[in-house]
Amino acid sequence: MKVSSITSKLDKLYEFDRAPVTKDRLQGIGNFLGMYAGEHVAGTEFVIGILFVAHGVSVTDLFIGGFIGNLLAVLSWAFITSPIAVKERLSLYWQLKKICGPVLVFIYNIVNALMFCFLAGAMVAVSATAVGIPFNITMPSLGDLYPNSIGWVVTVICVGGVITAIAIMGFESLARFAKTAAPWMFLIFVAAAFNSFPKLGVEPGLGNFWQVANDTIWTGVAAPGQSQFTIWHVIFFTWLANAAMHLGMSDLSIFRYAKKWYYGFASAVGMFMGHYIAWIASGILYAAATSDAPGPVAFQAVGVAGAICVVIAGWTTANPTLYRAGLALQVASPNWQRWKVTLLAGLITTIAAMFPALVMRLLDFVALYGLILIPMGGIIFADFYLFKKAGLQSYYAEKHNIMFNSAAGITWLLLLVISLIANRVMGIELFFLPFPSWVMAVFMYLGFSVIQQKYLNKGLAGQQPNV
Amino acid sequence: MPPKTKTPWPKILLITAAVTGLLLTLVPSFLNWQGIIEPGPVNNIMLAGTIIWFSSAGFLFAKKKGS
């Protein structure tokens, strides 16, 4: 087959990237349940469970804090993200373009796409720890930041290549694969925990579970070189681990396919079966294992099935993340077809995955990634819910052909500077910054827009919109 | 006379296989923890469950989409 023929076929993979989703393309709740279950019973859950243990989370902090944080995350998706997605039916990027103008969206999308690529890179690295087992590759440990062998680099390239190829095929194929793998992955997490119980001395019937959990698994004492976590760390990390997706509105791109707004509650499958139970399970298997790398930890617990689970868990999360990265980059390069930009995103992802720092510092990276992207979610929220009530025009940049909406640009930049000062000067940890940043974004954008629309551009506000 | 309805045997077979695959993935480790079976064969049974699940559920989802 000629290359040009393959190219033209790939070009036909048009998926409403630049227009509202039409009624005939809306999807039932099953796809969203599968998508969220697949995405949040993921390779990173193996790492996060392990890192919670390393950060000295106690058993009550994990069980109570994890429950509260996950509940807050579900409510954020259901009451903030999905109602806007269902009403507008636009991807995050095209909605932002209408609000912020193409120049600001260009900058945002480059940052956003890089963040998505790094996140997908962490998942590729997690998969690679399992793929490398039969080849006796030296696995990275908690302290590793740089590639530690040629074997590791080659494994990452192979895994990254396969994941990129699947992301190019589009949303429906991703959802189908995630739907098939999700129930099995969840059971593997649970089965691995069961299989680790005898090694840890947990009696049949769970009679001494709390004692073993306190003494051996979540001891409440951080490992050397790791910061000490409290219940507040667990609540805020759990709630805002996916801050970019819910409060940051990235999942507008997903929920624009939903028939009803309440499909946002489908995220509960991912939060409770995925994050909550999977983080508990991975902590249990880590306590019974002799490695820091997710692949060997799962392999030691349940053999080959565990290693396969790590590969697939990384895969099903990396795929939608790469898909989002492709969408983000496409706005920045409108003349490129989506498959080309996804390929570029896949390349960046694969290179990032070669650095184990991405996995071993995953908690910090996840918090940073939410913090950088979350102000734009606040801006969308203000534009959608508050602008009409305040007598302001929504989609201001589109209506007035503005290339750079300075009200949005200043809001974003100021909040990044404030967050940087709060973290570096005042010593506030990254995990606690995204929510205040989101709230401040809502009010700052509203305030700046009042100044912009009612005082500075008074003449523009009275013009007919250019639709 | 009402038309005869055809029993969807392939679908029933696939669903049965998929559920069996899931049970084989979860149950052996639980039985191992309870001390009912030896730890030796547990991992192999789970691997068999994995293969059965993906071959049946994958086909089932693909079939459902096609129908």
Side-chain angles (χ1 to χ4, degrees):
Chain A
M1 189 179 278
K2 284 182 181 177
V3 175
S4 60
S5 168
I6 297 169
T7 305
S8 71
K9 280 187 179 178
L10 286 166
D11 288 350
K12 285 177 188 167
L13 289 171
Y14 177 73
E15 286 194 80
F16 299 96
D17 291 339
R18 297 169 192 194
V21 172
T22 50
K23 269 191 175 176
D24 60 314
R25 293 297 297 265
L26 299 184
Q27 296 182 19
I29 197 162
N31 277 329
F32 296 90
L33 290 169
M35 187 88 185
Y36 277 92
E39 201 176 331
H40 298 284
V41 185
T44 43
E45 316 327 336
F46 279 106
V47 184
I48 292 168
I50 288 170
L51 291 176
F52 272 172
V53 173
H55 279 283
V57 168
S58 75
V59 64
T60 44
D61 290 352
L62 182 65
F63 278 74
I64 297 171
F67 181 83
I68 295 170
N70 282 314
L71 185 64
L72 289 170
V74 172
L75 297 177
S76 301
W77 260 300
F79 291 115
I80 292 175
T81 317
S82 59
I84 298 175
V86 166
K87 177 84 176 161
E88 301 295 323
R89 304 235 174 258
L90 288 168
S91 69
L92 166 72
Y93 315 103
W94 289 92
Q95 193 150 347
L96 270 183
K97 197 172 182 180
K98 287 164 178 271
I99 296 170
C100 301
V103 173
L104 184 53
V105 168
F106 178 84
I107 299 165
Y108 174 82
N109 277 302
I110 296 294
V111 176
N112 194 1
L114 284 175
M115 287 288 158
F116 281 144
C117 288
F118 292 147
L119 189 65
M123 291 144 194
V124 169
V126 168
S127 289
T129 62
V131 173
I133 293 171
F135 307 105
N136 277 331
I137 285 162
T138 312
M139 294 297 168
S141 61
L142 273 177
D144 283 334
L145 303 179
Y146 300 101
N148 57 352
S149 69
I150 294 289
W152 170 254
V153 172
V154 172
T155 310
V156 166
I157 289 171
C158 294
V159 175
V162 173
I163 287 173
T164 306
I166 291 184
I168 286 171
M169 301 315 290
F171 181 82
E172 285 184 14
S173 54
L174 298 185
R176 201 162 56 244
F177 183 75
K179 205 154 80 172
T180 309
W184 168 83
M185 280 193 297
F186 174 70
L187 291 186
I188 287 281
F189 268 94
V190 177
F194 283 156
N195 236 19
S196 302
F197 280 161
K199 290 179 201 165
L200 294 167
V202 178
E203 292 165 359
L206 288 172
N208 64 341
F209 176 77
W210 291 107
Q211 191 198 331
V212 173
N214 269 311
D215 296 346
T216 317
I217 308 169
W218 300 283
T219 57
V221 180
Q226 305 287 326
S227 61
Q228 179 67 47
F229 273 20
T230 63
I231 192 168
W232 293 107
H233 287 85
V234 178
I235 290 173
F236 275 86
F237 177 82
T238 307
W239 175 19
L240 302 167
N242 293 107
M245 313 302 183
H246 46 73
L247 293 180
M249 304 286 176
S250 279
D251 277 359
L252 291 179
S253 305
I254 302 296
F255 281 115
R256 66 193 165 132
Y257 290 98
K259 285 178 184 165
K260 303 286 180 188
W261 70 269
Y262 54 76
Y263 286 10
F265 285 106
S267 58
V269 177
M271 291 303 100
F272 285 97
M273 283 173 62
H275 285 186
Y276 194 55
I277 294 177
W279 292 353
I280 291 168
S282 71
I284 292 169
L285 18 156
Y286 179 52
T290 57
S291 173
D292 294 331
V297 167
F299 182 71
Q300 285 172 24
V302 285
V304 178
I308 294 172
C309 180
V310 173
V311 174
I312 293 177
W315 190 355
T316 49
T317 325
N319 268 340
T321 309
L322 258 182
Y323 175 79
R324 289 188 186 105
L327 285 175
L329 280 173
Q330 193 173 26
V331 182
S333 54
N335 295 327
W336 282 30
Q337 278 72 38
R338 192 176 58 76
W339 74 268
K340 283 183 191 167
V341 287
T342 308
L343 185 64
L344 176 66
L347 276 173
I348 299 167
T349 294
T350 307
I351 292 166
M354 292 171 191
F355 295 84
L358 214 52
V359 174
M360 301 308 173
R361 299 279 176 87
L362 187 69
L363 301 186
D364 292 304
F365 170 71
V366 166
L368 179 70
Y369 139 85
L371 182 63
I372 290 174
L373 302 181
I374 208 170
M376 285 302 190
I379 288 169
I380 292 176
F381 182 88
D383 190 86
F384 185 81
Y385 284 112
L386 306 178
F387 265 39
K388 270 188 188 167
K389 287 174 188 164
L392 299 169
Q393 283 190 341
S394 297
Y395 293 153
Y396 192 71
E398 182 194 53
K399 287 175 180 169
H400 298 286
N401 277 332
I402 292 172
M403 299 298 280
F404 183 98
N405 183 343
S406 49
I410 292 169
T411 301
W412 189 32
L413 189 70
L414 259 182
L415 283 170
L416 293 182
V417 173
I418 291 169
S419 299
L420 188 71
I421 293 168
N423 179 247
R424 293 287 166 186
V425 180
M426 298 164 72
I428 300 172
E429 287 181 81
L430 284 171
F431 312 105
F432 301 115
L433 293 172
F435 181 64
S437 178
W438 187 83
V439 175
M440 285 165 74
V442 172
F443 291 105
M444 280 169 72
Y445 181 57
L446 191 66
F448 288 139
S449 294
V450 169
I451 297 168
Q452 182 188 44
Q453 294 191 26
K454 296 201 171 173
Y455 298 101
L456 298 179
N457 298 341
K458 225 174 177 180
L460 278 177
Q463 285 179 8
Q464 280 296 320
N466 303 321
V467 181
Chain B
M1 197 176 167
K4 279 185 183 174
T5 51
K6 202 177 163 186
T7 311
W9 287 112
K11 199 175 174 183
I12 290 169
L13 200 68
L14 281 172
I15 291 170
T16 310
V19 172
T20 308
L22 286 184
L23 288 174
L24 289 176
T25 302
L26 179 67
V27 176
S29 60
F30 180 77
L31 296 179
N32 171 39
W33 171 40
Q34 297 298 314
I36 295 167
I37 61 170
E38 291 297 312
V42 170
N43 293 354
N44 291 334
I45 298 172
M46 285 180 70
L47 183 60
T50 298
I51 294 165
I52 294 169
W53 165 256
F54 275 101
S55 41
S56 53
F59 195 67
L60 197 65
F61 285 134
K63 199 174 156 71
K64 194 178 165 189
K65 188 182 159 46
S67 62

